[in-house]
Amino acid sequence: MTELTDLTAVQLVDGYRKGEFSPVDAARATLRRAEETQSAVNAFVRIEPETALAQAEASAERWRKGEPQGLVDGVPVTVKDLLLMRGGPSLRGSRTVRPEGKWNEDAPSVARLREHGAVFIGRTTTPEFGWKGVTDSPRSGITRNPYDTSRTSGGSSGGSAVAVAVGAGPLSLGTDGGGSVRIPASFCGIFAMKPTYGRVPLYPASPFGTLAHVGPMTRDAADAALMMEVITGPDSRDWSQLGPVAGSFRAGLGGGVRGLRIAYSPSLGGQVAVRPAVAAAVRRAVESLAAQGAYVEEADPDFSEPVEAFHTLWFSGAARVVQHLSPAQRELLEPALREVCGQGARYSALDYLAAVDVRMDLGRRMGRFHSTYDLLVTPTLPITAFEAGVEVPRGSGHRRWTGWTPFTYPFNLTQQPAATVPCGADDEGLPIGVQIVGARHADTVVLRAAHALYEAGSADLAPPTPVVS
């Protein structure tokens, strides 16, 4: 018998509709899984059984009456602890955040999920202020990979990725400023998508500016499309949100990839050293797309690694995050975060504008690239999960987390939609992800290609089973 915690959100909603089980059954099973795995993986800042069960009871009553409140009524959901959620503090992984206060406002994406009847299981872990690509913080400790708990979950939405991977809710809200939904999803064997900037409203505005996106972290592309239908609802608090969505994300899943023009860049033109197991798994995924009728050719986007421009923008944002803190409070920050904040504070306005120039030129180049190709496919990461509790793999020579994430952060600079799909495992059983990047506003095309990989059903593309489950 299939466990409720193994079902997707689409399957749960279908089961509620048919009366096969109730939202209360799903909530209890999900809470049990969250609590059973917490000591091993540390995915949660808070698990909230009383709130979740009350919401599930209300949802069950609506389903009994045949009056569901929305598209995800009764579906267990988790929320990264960077996003506001009324009823409890958003601690953001930092000892400088005081939990006292009213905390009476939802972020837009949280508000939309609440309006559609979601059941909120708890808040998931983040590094301090979401600043890096792994998930450990002075406040919450280390979040570990469910495939090997000595390894990192990735980050900064590591808790959300782990929660989905272990069955503690099929849907999670993450944020992505440089790869922060895609990195942990790749390391943990799940699906995640960074939508086009502005497609999912965000409030309060991120101090990292227009690098920061909100996106779905799910079991598969179909669940992400369902979640996108909900969280893209408009919100007047975000002045940079895009206009109304044209069409349906779920309807856009169909049709496959036949006729799509896909560029496959295995190493960004030789700029990235990719581990052989990762390269082989990604190539198999690309071959699956070609077998389904896509026109695939090896082609590299026309840009050199824009890491210095990204650092200028990202570290300046980090400096802005802590600008209001007293010297005593700054001593509570993670030392590496203090270091990058100091670097960010030293940039001038001219430095910042020069980085914006690099960003705009990169966007122009990618716009031209997508006049030839519908999609760009790359590895999500050149490596699999490494030791937990460190920012970079030991012996790698990298100074900052951006050194081992060269495929992710460029597309925050360009604001393009990008998703990661699990495509197998290395010889240690650690998941590998393939990244699918679309032109700005082509979110449905990205989801369609990702869904096609799931629909192919190839054993080589199936993610391994977590050790912690």
Side-chain angles (χ1 to χ4, degrees):
M1 179 179 175
T2 302
E3 295 284 342
L4 289 177
T5 52
D6 294 332
L7 298 181
T8 67
V10 171
Q11 291 169 329
L12 286 174
V13 170
D14 187 55
Y16 300 157
R17 185 177 295 110
K18 293 175 179 177
E20 296 173 347
F21 43 79
S22 79
V24 175
D25 299 327
R28 285 176 176 159
T30 301
L31 287 164
R32 184 165 57 251
R33 184 64 60 85
E35 290 163 351
E36 288 171 350
T37 58
Q38 175 64 5
S39 62
V41 293
N42 189 33
F44 287 90
V45 176
R46 287 193 308 281
I47 302 171
E48 300 181 328
E50 291 185 8
T51 298
L53 288 172
Q55 291 170 345
E57 290 280 5
S59 174
E61 181 60 26
R62 292 192 293 270
W63 280 106
R64 280 193 290 269
K65 293 178 179 178
E67 300 173 351
Q69 183 171 307
L71 295 177
V72 293
D73 201 342
V75 176
V77 175
T78 58
V79 178
K80 183 179 181 179
D81 201 38
L82 284 184
L83 295 166
L84 290 179
M85 186 172 176
R86 73 174 191 243
S90 175
L91 298 172
R92 293 172 278 178
S94 180
R95 292 179 293 177
T96 67
V97 177
R98 297 177 62 84
E100 300 85 359
K102 294 183 179 179
W103 303 102
N104 57 3
E105 193 169 23
D106 283 333
S109 50
V110 175
R112 301 295 85 77
L113 285 165
R114 195 185 298 278
E115 290 163 3
H116 279 257
V119 171
F120 292 104
I121 298 299
R123 305 301 302 271
T124 56
T125 53
T126 175
E128 195 163 20
F129 301 114
W131 81 274
K132 60 182 178 177
V134 293
T135 301
D136 56 72
S137 74
R139 183 144 209 159
S140 303
I142 299 171
T143 297
R144 299 180 179 276
N145 195 298
Y147 293 88
D148 179 346
T149 55
S150 73
R151 310 293 182 106
T152 180
S153 63
S156 65
S157 304
S160 286
V162 173
V164 174
V166 301
L171 305 180
S172 193
L173 276 175
T175 65
D176 190 314
S180 289
V181 300
R182 291 162 288 153
I183 295 165
S186 181
F187 277 177
C188 294
I190 69 163
F191 180 84
M193 179 174 176
K194 177 187 75 68
T196 299
Y197 178 80
R199 178 52 63 207
V200 179
L202 176 62
Y203 173 85
S206 171
F208 297 103
T210 58
L211 295 172
H213 304 57
V214 177
M217 306 182 71
T218 62
R219 294 281 176 75
D220 58 21
D223 268 12
L226 173 65
M227 197 172 179
M228 285 287 285
E229 299 274 19
V230 175
I231 63 177
T232 54
D235 195 292
S236 61
R237 294 172 293 174
D238 183 355
W239 64 272
S240 63
Q241 67 184 309
L242 298 178
V245 176
S248 162
F249 293 104
R250 289 177 295 167
L253 288 175
V257 296
R258 183 169 298 279
L260 287 182
R261 303 162 300 167
I262 296 179
Y264 166 44
S265 179
S267 61
L268 296 181
Q271 296 183 71
V272 182
V274 179
R275 286 187 185 170
V278 172
V282 172
R283 184 172 289 276
R284 287 193 296 270
V286 171
E287 290 170 350
S288 175
L289 293 171
Q292 295 177 65
Y295 298 111
V296 178
E297 64 175 305
E298 286 199 24
D300 301 308
D302 178 24
F303 63 80
S304 57
E305 190 176 48
V307 68
E308 292 306 322
F310 181 82
H311 282 171
T312 299
L313 300 171
W314 190 253
F315 296 168
S316 295
R320 177 64 173 161
V321 170
V322 304
Q323 187 177 28
H324 69 286
L325 299 179
S326 68
Q329 288 175 310
R330 287 174 185 250
E331 288 301 311
L332 299 175
L333 296 171
E334 179 186 350
L337 176 57
R338 281 204 308 272
E339 182 181 327
V340 302
C341 289
Q343 184 174 341
R346 291 190 293 272
Y347 291 126
S348 70
L350 289 178
D351 294 330
Y352 193 94
L353 290 174
V356 171
D357 285 342
V358 171
R359 181 181 193 181
M360 290 190 294
D361 184 62
L362 184 62
R364 177 187 62 80
R365 290 168 185 260
M366 288 309 301
R368 185 171 60 191
F369 185 83
H370 284 289
S371 69
T372 302
Y373 300 103
D374 298 300
L375 296 170
L376 168 66
V377 175
T378 74
T380 306
L381 296 165
I383 59 175
T384 52
F386 53 88
E387 177 188 354
V390 295
E391 183 186 345
V392 302
R394 295 188 192 278
S396 66
H398 298 309
R399 173 67 176 149
R400 296 266 77 102
W401 62 271
T402 44
W404 54 268
T405 60
F407 294 108
T408 60
Y409 67 81
F411 304 108
N412 292 80
L413 289 167
T414 61
Q415 304 187 339
Q416 294 172 245
T420 182
V421 182
C423 62
D426 67 8
D427 56 4
E428 296 181 282
L430 296 168
I432 296 167
V434 56
Q435 180 174 234
I436 302 172
V437 182
R440 289 181 75 245
H441 312 295
D443 303 74
T444 54
V445 182
V446 172
L447 283 166
R448 193 170 106 209
H451 185 62
L453 285 177
Y454 282 101
E455 289 288 285
S458 166
D460 288 337
L461 298 176
T465 302
V467 174
V468 176
S469 61

